[in-house]
Amino acid sequence: MMDEATLSRTLSKLGWDPSPHGNGTFRTKHDTDEGELVVYVRLTDNWLIASIVPFLNTGGDNSFELARWLLRMNRDMYQCKFAYDEDGDVVMTVELPTEALDFGEIQKALETLLAHAVEHRATLRKAAGA
């Protein structure tokens, strides 16, 4: 079973430089071709959840076309998904069950999250008119 100390060591080993951000949550920053991405990695009893919040600031002003695009991307992306947060902004998340989680699974999921984020950020900004 994973605990916060193990998660912190795992993130550090991946070069993610975690800083505590509340109970069971770490904040990490990543410089990418699409600008800085802040990823929050949270550990719960049964899940490891990594999220880019917000991925796209829309203030809830989300078009039908944007919603359709997000659903198409959710269908096509491996492990990751888009959602709206409580403010109506777009977030990107990956969730892993912690039951038998190993380093390779965490590494793959987090690398996939960043890869999809870089791939889709410019497209999303354009679609939202941001």
Side-chain angles (χ1 to χ4, degrees):
M1 190 69 157
M2 180 166 285
D3 59 17
E4 284 184 51
T6 303
L7 177 57
S8 180
R9 284 191 304 274
T10 300
L11 293 171
S12 293
K13 187 175 177 181
L14 290 169
W16 278 53
D17 191 27
S19 60
H21 190 80
N23 190 25
T25 304
F26 295 95
R27 183 178 189 273
T28 65
K29 292 189 294 185
H30 306 273
D31 291 322
T32 73
D33 292 341
E34 285 298 320
E36 183 179 82
L37 292 173
V38 176
V39 180
Y40 295 91
V41 183
R42 184 179 61 199
L43 184 63
T44 68
D45 288 338
N46 298 307
W47 295 94
L48 175 66
I49 304 162
S51 301
I52 301 170
V53 180
F55 184 78
L56 179 69
N57 285 314
T58 64
D61 186 20
N62 299 309
S63 68
F64 178 72
E65 291 80 14
L66 175 61
R68 285 180 47 152
W69 187 87
L70 294 172
L71 286 172
R72 282 194 310 272
M73 294 306 101
N74 281 353
R75 177 195 65 208
D76 296 340
M77 286 188 298
Y78 175 71
Q79 289 187 315
C80 297
K81 64 182 176 183
F82 285 112
Y84 296 126
D85 68 9
E86 58 276 356
D87 298 322
D89 294 325
V90 176
V91 301
M92 181 183 260
T93 301
V94 63
E95 300 175 348
L96 299 168
T98 58
E99 185 175 348
L101 198 55
D102 66 28
F103 178 82
E105 289 174 299
I106 296 169
Q107 180 179 27
K108 177 66 174 171
L110 296 179
E111 287 174 354
T112 298
L113 179 69
L114 286 181
H116 283 305
V118 169
E119 177 184 358
H120 296 305
R121 196 168 216 194
T123 303
L124 260 178
R125 285 177 175 160
K126 184 184 287 186

